Amino acid sequence: MLGAGTVGREVVRAFLDRGDALRSADGAILELAGVAVRDVAKSVRGGIPEALLTDAPAHLVADPDVDIVVEVMGGDEPARTLMHGALSTGKSVVTANKHVLAHHGLDLETTARRTGAALRFEAAVGGGTPVLGALALDLAANRIDAVRGIVNGTTNFILTAMSAEGRAYSDVLADAQRAGYAEADPRGDVEGEDAANKLAVLARQAFGQWLDVRTITRAPELVAGGHGPLGITGVTIEDITAAAAQGLAIKLIATASRDGDTVLAGVLPTAVAFDTPLGRTDGVLNRIEVDGEPVGRVAFAGPGAGGPATSSAVLGDLIAIARGVGSTWAGHPSVPRLLRASRPVSSETFEGPSGLRYPVLR
Amino acid sequence: MLGAGTVGREVVRAFLDRGDALRSADGAILELAGVAVRDVAKSVRGGIPEALLTDAPAHLVADPDVDIVVEVMGGDEPARTLMHGALSTGKSVVTANKHVLAHHGLDLETTARRTGAALRFEAAVGGGTPVLGALALDLAANRIDAVRGIVNGTTNFILTAMSAEGRAYSDVLADAQRAGYAEADPRGDVEGEDAANKLAVLARQAFGQWLDVRTITRAPELVAGGHGPLGITGVTIEDITAAAAQGLAIKLIATASRDGDTVLAGVLPTAVAFDTPLGRTDGVLNRIEVDGEPVGRVAFAGPGAGGPATSSAVLGDLIAIARGVGSTWAGHPSVPRLLRASRPVSSETFEGPSGLRYPVLR
């Protein structure tokens, strides 16, 4: 294991508390070989046995006794290099790192396919909600036309609180930071980066193509022309109130749909009808909807973040690898190139008093 | 294939229209060997090539060229014997038949485990909504404490229409029969048998035990003591109106939860708070909620019936078998015995004017 933060700690706890329950189909037991962390003493104080700990992640990855690498350290480097190193020597990787997947997914997938290693990442989208594996396996017979959803709990918590309490964005954000629902530097969430990363991963499963995450728009249109602030940073309480008067809730919606050979993808503040399941998805819940042929619309909802929920997906991926299920993309054909996403088009829009123009979803 | 009704027709169509898309991970192509139906001439008129058709299902199952049997004929016999015959000779089976699974699941599973054949049945619960596979795979690391949901579209359609239009049960049922949402003999749906069958299958995945489906209670309690009519057959428009005045919707809820070594399971008309996702699940939609540790609550929603949606699950199971994923229960430990279910206990109840006592779900 690389990392023992919010998610990693829960995974380690599962191994310590009920390791013999983590068996593969053949009765093989997954054994925790070691945990690489930055500060060994701190992890010992946190209850991880010292014998498991190391501050040398590259050595742990290279250990010939290690078959599977669980990356839950987050961030870009050294996570990317460590995952790449593991896959290139045929070791399977389980990761919750949507940033690395969204930016280097094509490279990691290509490496994994070359060496035959499995790369699993169910935890990268929706926390413990099992949507990525389902897209590649249970829904494999479908042509997926669109995916959409609320995939970032922090922004949905902020928008829900603004709406419920009639308070300004900056006030609610400050509260969310104090309560631990938003980070000290909240840009990754509030500017839509986290949601765009997740959308890129979701699109990989839905459409069999990696999107260039930098081409996923996060800037809402302005009524006056041009583009406004990224993500939810330009959403005002006046916009939320005016939308509510029309039966609409402002939500940060990630959406990707097929359009001929291209994919329309965006992470935009959107006016969603109250009387729809997405419009009623409040607080830190996530909800992801999938439109497929022949299945129609299926939806997945659950806690999109948090250590325990996310550890469920990481542990599920470990069990899947032990059972030989392979990568999260399963039988999807190989991917030749990175696809540029185009901006989604909305037939109906709502003009907020702030001057933002919101797509409407009914 | 055994059967070419609502679901079977869609599966056949998928093979005829896009057979080369139905590949396994290794590039092997699933090939449709034949379709056994009762009336060959009728199926020919329905567009299935005569060369594929036979009226001798047992011969088709025994054909040495057949590796996988898809049973979508429904009902008890001959479906049960044909499935058993296939599994006992090591042929894998895909079925949508919740009746046979609920009544003979332990026997079929035991046979499949003995011969190593795969038995997959994602279509048996929730139509195309991928909940059964997720329980055994993506959620495999969890201890599942409870499952609950709306799993029968016909009864939910009837209750929704009664509530929206203020009309009596018998009127709405007659309309539903005319519109094809309810069968001429509606007892399997309205008395809760279909939902109980699905709950038994769901419980197998959630708790690793087959429930004796006959012990799943379908009779609501009476205020005066004793039990009322099965399923929704005793629900009156007066009950629905009185419940609505308290913010409650009457829904047929299937629920199963762990209680020590036993499982509490029932299919009962239940008063569900309007402001919950289950309370707002209307019409023919299905919604299934799973409570697990560590994941928390995850929910699956989608069209629970219909040929196209259900064919998605059947085709997904075929692809899973071609990929070697094995049975729907995947790595679950083997099942030693059939478990008797006990009646669920509700801490809060709603007394309808009809004299029915409804469990309350908030």
Side-chain angles (χ1 to χ4, degrees):
Chain A
M1 285 198 49
L2 309 178
T6 316
V7 177
R9 216 162 36 221
E10 297 295 329
V11 176
V12 171
R13 184 168 304 165
F15 274 99
L16 298 180
D17 291 356
R18 51 196 180 88
D20 57 350
L22 298 171
R23 290 166 192 274
S24 85
D26 315 314
I29 298 180
L30 291 159
E31 238 181 290
L32 181 55
V35 186
V37 295
R38 207 176 299 172
D39 185 341
V40 167
K42 189 179 158 197
S43 290
V44 170
R45 287 194 301 275
I48 301 181
E50 191 164 0
L52 285 173
L53 289 163
T54 171
D55 58 4
H59 282 84
L60 186 57
V61 168
D63 185 330
D65 284 345
V66 166
D67 300 312
I68 309 175
V69 173
V70 178
E71 186 280 312
V72 282
M73 59 206 305
D76 195 68
E77 290 292 2
R80 175 198 180 182
T81 297
L82 291 164
M83 281 195 265
H84 192 272
L87 293 170
S88 65
T89 55
K91 298 187 181 196
S92 292
V93 168
V94 175
T95 181
N97 195 322
K98 47 243 166 197
H99 171 85
V100 167
L101 288 165
H103 288 81
H104 313 293
L106 180 59
D107 177 44
L108 292 175
E109 175 168 349
T110 306
T111 305
R113 286 187 185 268
R114 181 168 52 77
T115 65
L119 172 59
R120 293 194 68 89
F121 44 87
E122 183 62 58
V125 179
T129 316
V131 58
L132 298 178
L135 276 166
L137 195 61
D138 306 294
L139 299 172
N142 290 272
R143 198 186 75 137
I144 306 298
D145 296 312
V147 292
R148 83 182 65 74
I150 293 171
V151 295
N152 179 274
T154 303
T155 47
N156 204 50
F157 174 85
I158 292 172
L159 293 172
T160 302
M162 287 173 73
S163 168
E165 302 158 19
R167 294 166 64 214
Y169 169 72
S170 53
D171 284 5
V172 172
L173 173 59
D175 275 6
Q177 286 172 315
R178 271 190 296 270
Y181 288 120
E183 293 178 47
D185 178 354
R187 285 175 299 175
D189 290 316
V190 296
E191 292 186 353
E193 261 183 53
D194 175 76
N197 288 340
K198 288 167 174 166
L199 186 60
V201 176
L202 204 47
R204 164 66 190 87
Q205 292 301 98
F207 308 121
Q209 292 271 21
W210 284 102
L211 297 184
D212 181 342
V213 70
R214 297 164 303 178
T215 63
I216 296 177
T217 183
R218 299 183 278 120
E221 290 178 0
L222 295 174
V223 175
H227 296 109
L230 298 177
I232 67 165
T233 58
V235 176
T236 65
I237 183 64
E238 290 76 19
D239 287 1
I240 289 178
T241 307
Q246 298 188 26
L248 301 167
I250 303 296
K251 300 283 184 190
L252 186 67
I253 300 289
T255 174
S257 59
R258 229 185 251 282
D259 183 38
D261 287 341
T262 186
V263 170
L264 310 181
V267 172
L268 293 169
T270 301
V272 187
F274 278 137
D275 62 354
T276 60
L278 273 178
R280 287 183 303 235
T281 298
D282 287 337
V284 295
L285 267 188
N286 279 199
R287 179 184 171 89
I288 295 158
E289 300 180 345
V290 174
D291 288 347
E293 165 64 30
V295 76
R297 177 168 298 174
V298 293
F300 304 81
T310 309
S311 77
S312 160
V314 170
L315 293 164
D317 277 350
L318 277 168
I319 292 171
I321 289 174
R323 283 190 197 151
V325 175
S327 298
T328 299
W329 58 73
H332 273 187
S334 64
V335 191
R337 66 196 172 95
L338 200 61
L339 197 70
R340 287 182 61 82
S342 301
R343 191 179 179 92
V345 190
S346 12
S347 52
E348 183 188 358
T349 60
F350 163 76
E351 300 186 356
S354 70
L356 287 193
R357 186 192 293 281
Y358 297 85
V360 171
L361 201 60
R362 292 193 186 271
Chain B
M1 284 198 49
L2 309 178
T6 315
V7 176
R9 216 162 38 221
E10 297 294 330
V11 176
V12 171
R13 184 169 305 164
F15 273 99
L16 298 180
D17 291 356
R18 49 198 181 88
D20 57 352
L22 298 170
R23 290 167 191 274
S24 85
D26 316 314
I29 298 180
L30 291 159
E31 238 180 292
L32 181 56
V35 186
V37 295
R38 206 175 302 171
D39 184 342
V40 168
K42 189 180 156 196
S43 291
V44 169
R45 287 194 301 275
I48 301 181
E50 190 162 4
L52 285 174
L53 289 162
T54 170
D55 59 3
H59 281 86
L60 186 56
V61 168
D63 185 329
D65 284 344
V66 166
D67 300 311
I68 309 175
V69 173
V70 178
E71 185 279 314
V72 282
M73 59 207 304
D76 195 69
E77 291 291 2
R80 174 197 180 181
T81 298
L82 291 165
M83 282 195 265
H84 192 272
L87 292 170
S88 65
T89 55
K91 299 188 180 196
S92 293
V93 168
V94 174
T95 181
N97 194 323
K98 47 244 167 197
H99 171 86
V100 167
L101 287 165
H103 289 81
H104 314 292
L106 180 59
D107 176 45
L108 292 175
E109 175 169 348
T110 306
T111 305
R113 287 186 184 268
R114 180 169 52 77
T115 65
L119 172 59
R120 293 194 67 90
F121 44 86
E122 183 62 59
V125 179
T129 314
V131 59
L132 298 177
L135 276 167
L137 195 62
D138 306 293
L139 298 173
N142 290 272
R143 198 188 75 136
I144 305 299
D145 296 312
V147 291
R148 82 183 65 72
I150 293 171
V151 295
N152 178 274
T154 302
T155 48
N156 205 49
F157 174 85
I158 292 172
L159 293 172
T160 302
M162 287 173 72
S163 169
E165 301 158 21
R167 294 167 62 215
Y169 169 74
S170 53
D171 284 3
V172 172
L173 172 60
D175 275 6
Q177 286 172 313
R178 271 189 295 270
Y181 289 119
E183 292 178 49
D185 179 353
R187 286 176 300 175
D189 290 315
V190 296
E191 294 185 352
E193 261 183 53
D194 175 76
N197 288 340
K198 289 168 175 166
L199 186 61
V201 177
L202 203 47
R204 164 67 190 87
Q205 293 300 97
F207 309 121
Q209 292 271 22
W210 285 101
L211 296 183
D212 181 341
V213 69
R214 297 164 304 178
T215 63
I216 296 177
T217 183
R218 300 183 277 120
E221 290 178 0
L222 295 174
V223 175
H227 295 109
L230 298 177
I232 68 165
T233 57
V235 176
T236 64
I237 183 64
E238 290 76 20
D239 287 1
I240 289 178
T241 306
Q246 298 188 26
L248 301 167
I250 303 295
K251 301 283 183 190
L252 186 68
I253 300 290
T255 173
S257 59
R258 227 186 252 282
D259 182 38
D261 286 343
T262 186
V263 169
L264 310 181
V267 171
L268 293 169
T270 301
V272 187
F274 277 139
D275 61 356
T276 60
L278 274 177
R280 290 182 302 235
T281 298
D282 287 336
V284 295
L285 264 189
N286 279 200
R287 177 184 172 91
I288 294 157
E289 300 180 345
V290 174
D291 288 347
E293 166 62 30
V295 75
R297 178 169 298 174
V298 293
F300 304 81
T310 308
S311 77
S312 160
V314 170
L315 293 164
D317 277 350
L318 278 167
I319 292 172
I321 289 174
R323 285 191 195 149
V325 175
S327 297
T328 299
W329 57 74
H332 272 187
S334 63
V335 191
R337 65 197 174 93
L338 200 61
L339 196 69
R340 288 183 60 83
S342 300
R343 192 179 179 91
V345 189
S346 12
S347 53
E348 184 188 357
T349 60
F350 163 78
E351 300 186 356
S354 70
L356 287 194
R357 185 192 293 280
Y358 297 86
V360 172
L361 201 60
R362 294 195 185 269

